[in-house]
Amino acid sequence: MGNSLQLPKAIKMTRREFLRLSSLAAAGLVAGCATNPVTGRSQLMLVSEDEEIQIDKQNAPYQFSADYGTVQDKRLSDYIDRNGKNIAAQTHRTHMPFNFHVVNAIYVNAYAFPGGTIACTRGILLSLDNEAELSALLGHELGHVNARHTAEQMSKGMLTQTVVGGLAVVAGTQGALYGNLASQLGQFGAGALLARYSRDNEREADALGMEYMVRAGYSAQGMVGLMDVLRSMGKHKPSAIELMFATHPMSDERYRTAAETADTKYKSAKDKPLYRERYLDNTARLRSQKEAIDEMQKGQQEMAANNFSATDVHLRKAIKLAPNDYTALVMMSMSQLVQKKWAVGRQYAEMAQQVYPAEAQAYHLSGFAKIQLKDYEGALEEFNSYDQVLAGNPNTLFFKGYAYEGMKKYREAGGEYRRYLQAVQQGDYARHAYQSLREWQAKGLI
Ligand SMILES: [Zn+2]
């Protein structure tokens, strides 16, 4: 890491702490090596529980925003939270502030932040068949939190890039203002803030997850079913599950282990209920969107391959099927903007805002479109709205500065650019901000 990257205060402290502690560890002092009471395994641990919670709070909102926010289907979100908390009560760290969410994203995955924030996507919920499988999924994520895997990866220095770079990933847009918008926002959605676990972590999370779900009264068969779903999906729908593989490396091995454990250790729990009806009832509304979500998945796949006309075909179908789907509208806006169709892109972003005013991405997109359309005052308004719903994204500072610059308000522009440069010092945006500041100073404009 080139060290030219300055980090937001709260995270910076954590990072400095890591560097100090990692150098200690490297010097052979292994200060934080202790037996994890949950796993019984010796673990290098340099992150405190308070830090885990802090890191969680700092990063989860950005990941949620990248995943198009949490679903507005209250019945579904209450159901997932209830189910998650029920299993969390059976874990080793019941005092953690666990909270469970469904995000609007359509790819297939679930994830956990180290303080106990756990989310699953619409994509994965659509792939499950019963509550026992859901419980296995949430149990697995709870396993990661209980075994402190994220903190462990951070302690080993495996995760500094992802968590510490959380905001920097958002800011470090390679493509600059005229560049590729997909990379500007897309990277953000690619799980960049999430931990990459080791295979041993996965095995541990599976074992703990199974233990927790069985304790909560479910059939161990739920874990077998979950593993089967993921295994077969990896074979038939690899693109939808790509991120799942990145954050949860999958293999037949995990399926076999689950099946074996269900037959031996948890044999007595094999005939416990799966609660299929209850799952289907509570996910009814989501399942009514399945066709639309299928189209979005296809659109996503085409977008990733830069086939934008095919992308638009699928997204148009999705929007026709689900006219108020925030994800479909945002994706459509993005596709238009990548094709430099600024006005149409702005329209879809504005539709998305109306559907879900509390979500941030659509403000960024319409602000970006308005900058391209040279509607600088309009753009400024959009970025201010973005800031109100999701503060702390350095990109917003840059774009606000750029809007002021368009209005020839150099003093205001300079203020935003200075704040931007405090957060980010590399990349094309930073260069533009820096050079503008120098030029305006030389000309006596600021
Ligand atoms: Zn996992």
Side-chain angles (χ1 to χ4, degrees), residues 1-23 46-47 51 54-55 58 154 157 159-166 168:
M1 194 171 208
N3 255 345
S4 55
L5 208 81
Q6 212 181 343
L7 298 150
K9 223 184 218 159
I11 301 181
K12 191 162 63 183
M13 277 185 36
T14 319
R15 177 175 185 257
R16 196 182 300 134
E17 191 75 352
F18 287 152
L19 292 179
R20 186 178 68 78
L21 292 166
S22 335
S23 67
L46 309 171
V47 180
E51 281 171 321
Q54 196 193 2
I55 290 158
Q58 279 167 355
M154 292 177 88
L159 204 61
T160 43
Q161 198 71 19
T162 46
V163 174
V164 174

Side-chain angles (χ1 to χ4, degrees), residues 282-296:
N282 282 287
T283 56
R285 200 174 146 204
L286 171 67
R287 283 180 303 106
S288 76
Q289 303 162 341
K290 186 181 184 320
E291 228 185 310
I293 289 173
D294 279 344
E295 294 296 340
M296 285 178 241

Side-chain angles (χ1 to χ4, degrees), residues 372-409:
Q372 302 293 354
L373 293 163
K374 301 199 170 11
D375 172 10
Y376 297 114
E377 290 184 25
L380 185 64
E381 227 172 276
E382 301 291 352
F383 287 110
N384 280 330
S385 300
Y386 181 101
D387 241 356
Q388 271 170 22
V389 293
L390 188 67
N393 181 349
N395 256 347
T396 311
L397 296 170
F398 177 81
F399 281 109
K400 281 207 270 192
Y402 198 87
Y404 278 123
E405 183 182 341
M407 291 182 246
K408 303 199 184 339
K409 293 187 174 176

Side-chain angles (χ1 to χ4, degrees), residues 23-274:
S23 67
L24 284 182
L29 295 172
V30 282
C33 220
T35 301
N36 182 316
V38 174
T39 60
R41 181 165 59 84
S42 175
Q43 198 177 33
L44 176 67
M45 185 51 66
L46 309 171
V47 180
S48 73
E49 193 164 284
D50 283 347
E51 281 171 321
E52 287 182 286
I53 293 169
Q54 196 193 2
I55 290 158
D56 183 311
K57 282 194 178 143
Q58 279 167 355
N59 286 278
Y62 289 95
Q63 185 61 41
F64 283 8
S65 171
D67 285 333
Y68 311 95
T70 53
V71 294
Q72 290 165 294
D73 176 350
K74 197 169 168 351
R75 184 175 183 199
L76 178 63
S77 52
D78 285 352
Y79 172 63
I80 300 299
D81 193 52
R82 210 164 48 236
N83 185 269
K85 284 185 172 142
N86 183 33
I87 301 159
Q90 303 299 328
T91 65
H92 297 84
R93 296 176 88 190
T94 49
H95 61 285
M96 292 298 278
F98 289 112
N99 54 106
F100 300 84
H101 309 268
V102 183
V103 289
N104 277 315
I106 49 150
Y107 64 90
V108 176
N109 204 1
Y111 51 81
F113 284 96
T117 298
I118 290 172
C120 42
T121 64
R122 288 194 292 177
I124 199 162
L125 289 185
L126 275 175
S127 326
L128 304 182
D129 178 64
N130 57 58
E131 199 175 285
E133 289 179 2
L134 169 69
S135 304
L137 178 72
L138 298 179
H140 173 93
E141 296 305 326
L142 282 162
H144 282 306
V145 178
N146 274 270
R148 306 188 70 193
H149 288 154
T150 299
E152 180 186 12
Q153 295 296 335
M154 292 177 88
S155 301
K156 285 198 274 188
M158 301 297 285
L159 204 61
T160 43
Q161 198 71 19
T162 46
V163 174
V164 174
L167 291 177
V169 170
V170 186
T173 47
Q174 306 291 314
L177 193 55
Y178 307 102
N180 192 336
L181 189 75
S183 74
Q184 196 181 113
L185 287 160
Q187 256 198 344
F188 199 11
L193 308 177
L194 302 177
R196 297 295 196 266
Y197 303 118
S198 72
R199 284 176 179 269
D200 279 340
N201 288 166
E202 291 308 326
R203 290 186 190 106
E204 240 168 47
D206 285 347
L208 287 169
M210 208 155 172
E211 179 183 335
Y212 300 152
M213 67 172 292
V214 168
R215 267 196 225 162
Y218 294 95
S219 165
Q221 207 52 38
M223 184 63 88
V224 184
L226 172 69
M227 289 302 154
D228 194 33
V229 165
L230 297 175
R231 182 181 68 151
S232 59
M233 194 173 296
K235 281 167 188 154
H236 301 121
K237 247 182 163 183
S239 66
I241 206 175
E242 211 173 295
L243 187 64
M244 183 84 188
F245 276 109
T247 55
H248 297 83
M250 281 294 153
S251 65
D252 291 337
E253 176 212 303
R254 291 177 63 195
Y255 168 77
R256 281 197 309 272
T257 305
E260 236 173 72
T261 317
D263 276 336
T264 52
K265 189 172 178 190
Y266 299 116
K267 195 170 194 309
S268 60
K270 233 188 148 178
D271 297 325
K272 291 266 173 66
L274 296 168

